[in-house]
Structures are given as structure tokens and as C-alpha cells.
Amino acid sequence: MTEVKRQPPHAVGILGGMGPAAGADFVRLFVQACTRQLHEQGRPVHDQAYPEHWLVQLPMPDRTQALRGDPQSPLGPAPHLLQGMGRLAALGVRSVALACNTAHAWHGQLQALFPQLHVLHIARQTAAHLQAAGARQAIVLATQGTYDSGLYDAALARHGIAPLLPDAAGRTQLMRGIYEGVKQGDMALATQCFGAVLVPLLQRHGNVPVIMGCTEIPLALPQAPQALGTQLIDPAWLLAMALARDAYGLQAQESEHAA
Amino acid sequence: MTEVKRQPPHAVGILGGMGPAAGADFVRLFVQACTRQLHEQGRPVHDQAYPEHWLVQLPMPDRTQALRGDPQSPLGPAPHLLQGMGRLAALGVRSVALACNTAHAWHGQLQALFPQLHVLHIARQTAAHLQAAGARQAIVLATQGTYDSGLYDAALARHGIAPLLPDAAGRTQLMRGIYEGVKQGDMALATQCFGAVLVPLLQRHGNVPVIMGCTEIPLALPQAPQALGTQLIDPAWLLAMALARDAYGLQAQESEHAA
């Protein structure tokens, strides 16, 4: 048997802690995405075929709260995101994924400060994926901070997709599911909150794709009876797939860079 | 309301990649263990209450294979374990968990080289836990490398617990479940192999505790019908709990240090 001589994969990093359960789940998704890459390339799957990867989970001040005040406040997440990125960069990683949608409000600053590495963008990956799948509109479930920063609005607009958002009551319900539910380990409450938000949106817009635009939402929404049969889109999975492609040196989706 | 001024938790590290799915799962267990610690201490659970933690997953040469030859071979895992530990140490972590039972064959060398940090020992944590629970014997399911190194034999003996091991055919079956099953993503095969190994051991020894002494085994054995009603012990969970205690600066189980 001859074996093609391949470049070893690149080291990549994951910046998490927002929250820690979502960060841990993101590593699981990344490993799964690597397994899929290996299968797609027809390569044998074994421990040594996976890229070096680092996860740092830092006690990170609340993102949504910071976005309601001064995003550059020394009491906000900005300095922590920077020190985490700095240490990941020192470890020699080529690409970094932020395991938190809301934290992408700081994406531009992080990418500008670390031009030697690629900071992936969760909303652009998601928008590119949806466009490729032919979507023209999508429901966006997210934190208040993500809504405030217009993260998905901007990314979806660039790909010709109309964002459909819950009303104020729905947003409050989402925040409750995220903060009192997932972040405190009460998954039943989270499932109930997330499911309830979905109903009026689906009634109004029909069975359009549902972007689970906060890494805590996929930990509880899929278990809701109201989510049965809906097109749930997990941006964390799309981000994990993009990070795996970067690790294996495959062409990044040009749509992200074009965006 | 008065709030007790607490020391911030210590940063801790996880050395993984052996395999990557098990390493990812170990982070999940660690976050869960931290949540339990917070609950037990009556502290509020939120993102910022979790300790800084780092995971590195490195492409690591096979441990069992190395233990059949020269454990210090430059082609084996030793240099990779050392470089991973060195970088975790440079990041300032106080304690490190090795997310692989077999890799504990190198535990003594790693602890000796990095006296500034605590390298937790998975088998000693497990043995101390079983002794506290009153166990006198336990079935050990592990890789051939772990059996060869006598990891659990030594740790259990120090705690007055007799190890019960599968025969040669059972060990071959276990290795198949680990390597052709979990490590290649074929969970159905893994569940079938692990379940089959359990049957003769339970018939012979009765319903004694079953140590899942390879981090891949808990990913598939609990789903086996033969495991229903058995006392499955997950050393990775006990290790995650010990790492959480270290992070929060709580007394380590003295039994580990006495061992």
C-alpha cells in the first residue's frame, strides 16, 4: 500500500467559558467535525489523525451586559478575550473559534490584533451555509447582546437572507432559558422557555430555518416538543466544521471571507 | 447581603487526545464536577464561578503499543506527553489531569519533572473512592497497556481491594471495542464488545463494582443491555471531581497522597 505524504494538520484553538458547558460541547462538536473530515477524505480514523487543538475556558464577564454599556470597559469581557487570544496565539494556533455568539461583537478587534491567525466568524459561516442551502429567511434565536450587536442581521443580509426575530416578550423568555436554565444547569426550564419562544414565530413565518444563535440554545431546544420537525440550524456545528477545515488546511468557505 | 471574600479558583489543565472524543468528554465531566462543587458549597452557579481551565489534545502515539516495547522510545507518547505538560505548566496551571488511563504509566515521570504542579492519578482516585464505599473487590476493564503496567492492580492493592480481570479472550474483545469501536466512531460495535466481556465476569464474581478503566469505555458500555443494574464506576468522573476540588482549593482526598 502506498500512502500519500500529507502535511500534518495545523494546531487550532477554541476560546470558551461563555458558558463552560457550551465550550465543552464545542470541543465535542469539533472532534466530531474532524472525524467527518477524515471520513470525507477517505483517511483512516485514529487518535493520531486529529489536529492538535487547545481549549481555554476563562471566567469571562457577561457579554450581553457589557454590550448594554461600554463594550471596551476594563470590567467587561474585552480584556479577558484579549488575554485568552494572546495565550492561544503564543501556543502557535493557526485559527481560533470563539465558542460564544455574543462574544463575536469583539470579533473585529480580535482579528485586527492577531493578523497572524484566522479568527472564524460564527454568523458569517451560518449565513454562508444557509445561502448555499437556498434559504431566503431564517428565525434567529439569540441573546439580547447578540440582537443588540446586530451580529446575525448583518451576516444574513450580506447573503440575501431576511432575519426573523422574536418580540420583546420572546427575547425575555430566551434570556431566562439561557441564564436561569442552561447556565444554572436547569435544562428542563431552558427547554420549556426555548420551545415557547418558537411557537409564535413558526405560526407567523412557517417552517423556515431556525438559527440557534447562542451556544446554550442547542443544549436544550432540540428536546422541546415544539422543535419536532423544525429545521434547527446549529451555528456551533457549522463553526466546528469550519475550524476542522482550517485545521486540515482545506479551503475555507470563500463566502466567509467575501462577507 | 454580605458576601464571603473567596480566593479565586486555581487554573487547571487537562492533557488529552487519547483519544480526542474521550478528552472532549472529560471537559464535559469537569464542568459538571465544578457545577456540583458550586452546589455543594451553596454558591451561585454562573459562568464566572468556574475556574480557568485548559485542554490540550495532541496527536499522541499509541500508549498500549509503547508499553509493549520501550516506554521511553522517542517514537512513543513520552515526548508528546512531556511537551504537552510543559506547555500546560507554562500557562500556570496548578493541577493537571491526564485524560487517559493507559498514559498513567508515565505519571511518575511527569510528576517528578513538574513538581510545581499536582498531576492527579486516576487509579488512586478510583481506589480511594471504592475503599470509602466499602468495596473489597472490583472488576477492571482496561486496555492491554493498562493491564501490562499494573496500574489498577497496584492502586487497588494499596486500598485492600482485589482486582478481577477478564481472560485473554476478553481482553482482545475489549481492545477491539476500543480501537475498532470508539476510536473509529463505531459505537454499536464498541457497546457489543464491552457488553460481551462483562457477562462471564459478572457470572463468576457476582455484582461487584465494574471499573471502566479506559476513558473510551464509558462512551459505549453504559448503553449495553448487559450493563443494566451493574455498579459501573467511571474513573474519569472521579478524576474530574478531584480536578474540580483542586481548582477550588479544597482538600484533596488524602488517600491519593497516602497511596
Side-chain angles (χ1 to χ4, degrees), chain A residues 15-106:
Chain A
L15 185 47
M18 309 171 275
D25 200 58
F26 188 80
V27 181
R28 181 184 68 80
L29 292 176
F30 173 68
V31 170
Q32 201 178 314
C34 289
T35 306
R36 182 180 288 198
Q37 283 298 339
L38 291 169
H39 281 307
E40 282 180 4
Q41 295 170 45
R43 296 172 57 182
V45 177
H46 50 73
D47 291 1
Q48 297 76 32
Y50 288 80
E52 174 182 323
H53 53 284
W54 291 82
L55 164 75
V56 55
Q57 304 228 75
L58 293 170
M60 195 78 73
D62 191 74
R63 284 70 61 197
T64 288
Q65 205 180 322
L67 291 173
R68 301 237 119 169
D70 169 16
Q72 293 305 322
S73 163
L75 299 176
H80 301 270
L81 289 165
L82 291 169
Q83 70 100 327
M85 278 292 289
R87 291 198 281 170
L88 286 172
L91 291 163
V93 302
R94 168 117 157 198
S95 300
V96 170
L98 307 174
C100 170
N101 285 269
T102 316
H104 281 73
W106 291 270

Side-chain angles (χ1 to χ4, degrees), chain B residues 143-180:
Chain B
T143 61
Q144 191 58 52
T146 295
Y147 290 131
D148 289 348
S149 69
L151 183 75
Y152 279 93
D153 300 339
L156 292 171
R158 283 174 185 161
H159 289 271
I161 299 164
L164 310 169
L165 312 184
D167 60 15
R171 294 175 185 206
T172 305
Q173 189 88 316
L174 277 178
M175 290 298 272
R176 191 168 168 234
I178 294 166
Y179 282 80
E180 294 172 38

Side-chain angles (χ1 to χ4, degrees), chain A residues 37-205:
Chain A
Q37 283 298 339
L38 291 169
H39 281 307
E40 282 180 4
Q41 295 170 45
R43 296 172 57 182
V45 177
H46 50 73
D47 291 1
Q48 297 76 32
Y50 288 80
E52 174 182 323
H53 53 284
W54 291 82
L55 164 75
V56 55
Q57 304 228 75
L58 293 170
M60 195 78 73
D62 191 74
R63 284 70 61 197
T64 288
Q65 205 180 322
L67 291 173
R68 301 237 119 169
D70 169 16
Q72 293 305 322
S73 163
L75 299 176
H80 301 270
L81 289 165
L82 291 169
Q83 70 100 327
M85 278 292 289
R87 291 198 281 170
L88 286 172
L91 291 163
V93 302
R94 168 117 157 198
S95 300
V96 170
L98 307 174
C100 170
N101 285 269
T102 316
H104 281 73
W106 291 270
H107 176 275
Q109 185 184 8
L110 293 171
Q111 181 63 86
L113 261 168
F114 297 97
Q116 73 273 37
L117 51 81
H118 178 207
V119 186
L120 293 160
H121 193 294
I122 194 166
R124 293 180 194 159
Q125 292 290 342
T126 303
H129 169 84
L130 284 172
Q131 184 181 33
R136 301 300 304 272
Q137 45 182 12
I139 292 167
V140 181
L141 304 182
T143 62
Q144 191 56 54
T146 295
Y147 291 130
D148 289 347
S149 69
L151 183 75
Y152 278 93
D153 300 339
L156 291 171
R158 282 174 186 162
H159 289 271
I161 300 165
L164 309 170
L165 312 183
D167 60 14
R171 294 175 185 207
T172 305
Q173 188 88 318
L174 276 178
M175 289 299 271
R176 188 165 172 238
I178 294 166
Y179 282 80
E180 295 172 37
V182 178
K183 284 191 194 294
Q184 294 188 24
D186 187 347
M187 292 302 176
L189 174 67
T191 299
Q192 188 194 315
C193 290
F194 299 157
V197 176
L198 205 52
V199 174
L201 287 164
L202 291 172
Q203 278 171 349
R204 187 160 171 199
H205 304 291

Side-chain angles (χ1 to χ4, degrees), chain A residues 17-21 24 27-28 31 35 39 45-48 50-63 83-84 87-88 91 183-185 216, chain B residues 17-21 24 27-28 31 35 39 45-48 50-63 83-84 87-88 91 183-185 216:
Chain A
M18 309 171 275
V27 181
R28 181 184 68 80
V31 170
T35 306
H39 281 307
V45 177
H46 50 73
D47 291 1
Q48 297 76 32
Y50 288 80
E52 174 182 323
H53 53 284
W54 291 82
L55 164 75
V56 55
Q57 304 228 75
L58 293 170
M60 195 78 73
D62 191 74
R63 284 70 61 197
Q83 70 100 327
R87 291 198 281 170
L88 286 172
L91 291 163
K183 284 191 194 294
Q184 294 188 24
E216 319 275 21
Chain B
M18 309 171 275
V27 182
R28 181 184 67 80
V31 170
T35 307
H39 281 308
V45 177
H46 49 74
D47 292 1
Q48 297 76 30
Y50 289 79
E52 174 183 322
H53 53 283
W54 292 81
L55 164 74
V56 55
Q57 303 229 77
L58 293 170
M60 195 76 76
D62 192 74
R63 285 68 62 197
Q83 70 100 325
R87 291 199 280 170
L88 286 172
L91 290 163
K183 285 190 195 294
Q184 294 187 23
E216 318 274 21

